[in-house]
Amino acid sequence: MAKILIPTALRQFTCQQDAVDVTAGTVGEALRALTDKFPDVRKNLFSDQGKLRSFVNVYVNDEDIRYLEKDATKLNGGDTVSIVPSIAGGSASVAEAEEVALSNEEVMRYSRHLILPEVGMEGQLKLKKAKIILIGAGGLGAPLGLYLAAVGVGRIGVVDFDVVDLSNLQRQVIHGTGDLGRKKLDSAADKMQDINPHLKIDKYDVGLTSENALEILRDYDIVIDGTDNFPTRYLVNDACVLLKKPNVYGSIYRFEGQATVFAYEDGPCYRCLYPEPPPPGLVPSCAEGGVLGILPGMIGIIQATEAVKIILGEGTTLKGRLLLYDAMNMAFRELKLQRDPACPVCGDHPTVTKLIDYQEFCGIHPPAVAVPAAAGAGVIDPVDVKQKLDRGDNFVLIDVREPHEYQICRIPGAKLIPLGELPKHLNELDPDGDIVAHCKSGARSQKAVDLLKQNGFKNVRNMTGGILAWSDRVDPTVPKY
Ligand code: ZN
């Protein structure tokens, strides 16, 4: 008997079970028992050729068994098999020639550090000389910015081009209600400067791209990844490997987080763990899947702690260990990571020697390409949907969001069929009927439209902009979330 731990992203296929007990003698048998029991798991875990997909790792207890033959990997009674998919965040070269010293004010400010032997005056001066860059001033960037400013890091670069939105304030504690509509960069910098006027802040009001990443990151000792999308994650990873900078990684999703240190000394990089991104849409973003407001605080503070340890050259970092945090069960686990000699970036014979097009790598096509195909017959404006409803047109409006989203707000007359359940409900819809699909913002409903068309439905349209656009343009009493 072995236990298979199911990650959040796959629980939708296991009737929400987070662990499944199977009777199996090997890892291969265990995974087959799982997919026999829950057939929908199969296509997410295995390719059509039956090969384990490369954005999924399998561990037995805390050992990575990716390179082992699954059918030959024996399981003992009580073993735990973990399925860990990627989730859609040298003693730093503080070799600055510049002499630094602490003022009397700084001695008082950092006195609780100065009396720690592991920090002391020498460590505090290392912090003051250190240069860190934060990619993103959002959920993870908030605790990172606050604490790294407080502990006395001398120079912090922040890369962000976003604006503070009301839905950010549930977790991005570096911004306040008075900052709504301001650039996150300005809001974060003001807060950090207020905490520590000795801090020098470099503001980068841009998105990190393949064109600017090396130039921006080059001047810093440590890169901290607080991003929320796969293209930027791979970009940050590859840039860090190429520049030989430690990449302090964190990511969050719903109630779970991950943290480690990549590309540090001889340790592994993100691509050693996940050579390829998941297909677009498989792993929802926090905007789609939600995130507990406290979670980025926990993971961001772990990242800040790792950055400080790297600067001080003290302690044991997370290099080679992936820390998994489960807030719902208040459980920490860690898995060993190893550098992959065949890694395309940090391996022995790298094939990626310069930055690439990460949108393309992650299978994300710019809207300019996607829209013409969808335009015209395939889409309908929310205002036109309202007119159809008012006229009493004979059509079906399906809402492909999840039931808990339907609880927040709905369009009167819409029929709830969550996207994942749509295949089972096709026979309830008329293939010749007039069908409009909507979701929150239009992405999931586009998938619904594609699915219906593949199944022979002729007159199916996607309501552009989803219920958010409905709230903006048709009925402002519908709350936005
Ligand atoms: Zn690597």
Side-chain angles (χ1 to χ4, degrees):
M1 201 72 163
K3 186 190 283 295
I4 303 184
L5 300 183
I6 310 296
T8 312
L10 290 182
R11 283 179 209 158
Q12 53 185 308
F13 308 115
T14 60
C15 307
Q16 298 302 326
Q17 290 183 51
D18 57 5
V20 174
D21 288 316
V22 293
T23 307
T26 66
V27 174
E29 284 173 26
L31 293 176
R32 276 195 294 276
L34 174 71
T35 55
D36 286 348
K37 201 164 176 183
F38 301 103
D40 288 345
V41 172
R42 187 173 291 123
K43 66 177 189 302
N44 289 290
L45 273 189
F46 296 99
S47 67
D48 295 340
Q49 290 75 38
K51 204 163 162 280
L52 194 65
R53 292 181 185 273
S54 61
F55 54 88
V56 179
N57 283 334
V58 174
Y59 285 77
V60 174
N61 302 322
D62 66 351
E63 295 290 341
D64 184 350
I65 57 137
R66 184 173 10 165
Y67 304 110
L68 303 177
E69 183 55 51
K70 311 266 176 309
D71 281 316
T73 306
K74 294 257 180 308
L75 287 176
N76 297 311
D79 275 349
T80 299
V81 177
S82 306
I83 299 170
V84 185
S86 49
I87 56 176
S91 59
S93 56
V94 280
E96 277 283 274
E98 190 188 336
E99 271 304 306
V100 296
L102 297 187
S103 66
N104 287 354
E105 193 271 351
E106 287 172 290
V107 169
M108 181 61 79
R109 177 181 285 268
Y110 304 126
S111 60
R112 301 297 186 278
H113 266 170
L114 299 177
I115 57 177
L116 284 175
E118 293 80 0
V119 185
M121 182 59 83
E122 192 189 336
Q124 196 64 50
L125 291 174
K126 283 182 183 171
L127 288 168
K128 192 175 165 79
K129 281 192 267 190
K131 295 178 290 186
I132 291 182
I133 186 145
L134 302 182
I135 316 299
L140 295 169
L144 280 159
L146 295 174
Y147 274 102
L148 293 176
V151 298
V153 171
R155 183 167 215 121
I156 300 179
V158 185
V159 183
D160 200 298
F161 62 93
D162 208 0
V163 168
V164 181
D165 177 84
L166 189 56
S167 66
N168 298 148
L169 301 183
Q170 159 256 23
R171 64 198 177 284
Q172 300 182 11
V173 295
I174 202 165
H175 313 296
T177 307
D179 297 314
L180 289 175
R182 291 183 76 198
K183 285 198 166 293
K184 287 186 180 175
L185 204 51
D186 293 333
S187 164
D190 286 355
K191 202 70 58 71
M192 290 157 70
Q193 205 73 77
D194 181 44
I195 289 171
N196 194 337
H198 304 285
L199 168 66
K200 294 190 187 72
I201 302 177
D202 305 321
K203 298 192 212 174
Y204 298 94
D205 184 8
V206 292
L208 202 68
T209 65
S210 306
E211 286 72 42
N212 64 22
L214 295 178
E215 203 50 49
I216 291 175
L217 305 187
R218 194 184 305 279
D219 285 338
Y220 297 88
D221 307 311
I222 297 175
V223 178
I224 306 192
D225 182 358
T227 56
D228 58 359
N229 64 79
F230 288 106
T232 317
R233 258 194 208 303
Y234 281 96
L235 166 63
V236 170
N237 179 72
D238 292 1
C240 286
V241 173
L242 294 175
L243 292 168
K244 299 189 167 46
K245 310 271 185 197
N247 170 13
V248 182
Y249 163 89
S251 69
I252 48 174
Y253 180 61
R254 293 195 167 169
F255 297 93
E256 292 172 14
Q258 302 181 347
T260 187
V261 177
F262 286 124
Y264 182 42
E265 297 171 336
D266 55 352
C269 81
Y270 186 63
R271 289 216 204 202
C272 295
L273 179 60
Y274 300 116
E276 284 169 24
L282 176 66
V283 181
S285 68
C286 289
E288 292 166 329
V291 59
L292 181 70
I294 304 152
L295 183 68
M298 184 65 125
I299 299 298
I301 283 170
I302 290 169
Q303 290 177 282
T305 310
E306 292 302 288
V308 166
K309 280 159 54 192
I310 291 172
I311 294 165
L312 296 177
E314 292 285 340
T316 306
T317 68
L318 281 173
K319 178 187 84 173
R321 295 182 292 151
L322 181 67
L323 184 69
L324 304 179
Y325 169 62
D326 171 354
M328 210 43 121
N329 294 304
M330 199 45 78
F332 287 89
R333 293 196 299 139
E334 63 175 66
L335 304 172
K336 290 179 194 159
L337 299 180
Q338 43 195 336
R339 191 177 74 90
D340 179 359
C343 173
V345 195
C346 79
D348 297 340
H349 305 285
T351 52
V352 178
T353 53
K354 60 182 180 24
L355 299 179
I356 59 171
D357 181 338
Y358 292 89
Q359 298 283 332
E360 191 189 331
F361 178 63
C362 293
I364 297 164
H365 303 290
V369 177
V371 166
V379 298
I380 180 166
D381 190 89
V383 175
D384 297 331
V385 175
K386 169 75 170 141
Q387 285 170 0
K388 282 170 79 68
L389 287 166
D390 290 347
R391 284 196 303 263
D393 284 7
N394 183 19
F395 80 112
V396 181
L397 177 60
I398 56 172
D399 179 347
V400 300
R401 298 175 303 153
E402 297 299 314
H404 59 271
E405 297 178 86
Y406 190 77
Q407 298 288 326
I408 303 170
C409 57
R410 68 194 72 167
I411 297 175
K415 179 181 168 76
L416 179 68
I417 308 179
L419 180 61
E421 293 175 23
L422 187 55
K424 288 184 227 156
H425 293 269
L426 293 178
N427 56 2
E428 296 165 25
L429 299 166
D430 176 4
D432 298 315
D434 181 4
I435 299 174
V436 174
H438 89 82
C439 62
K440 181 183 177 187
S441 65
R444 279 174 286 173
S445 48
Q446 183 58 51
K447 286 186 198 153
V449 167
D450 294 343
L451 180 96
L452 288 169
K453 286 189 171 166
Q454 283 157 18
N455 283 279
F457 287 76
K458 294 179 192 69
N459 192 8
V460 200
R461 285 177 288 177
N462 181 19
M463 188 178 91
T464 47
I467 201 165
L468 295 179
W470 179 273
S471 172
D472 282 337
R473 312 209 5 241
V474 175
D475 181 3
T477 66
V478 169
K480 294 210 268 187
Y481 62 99

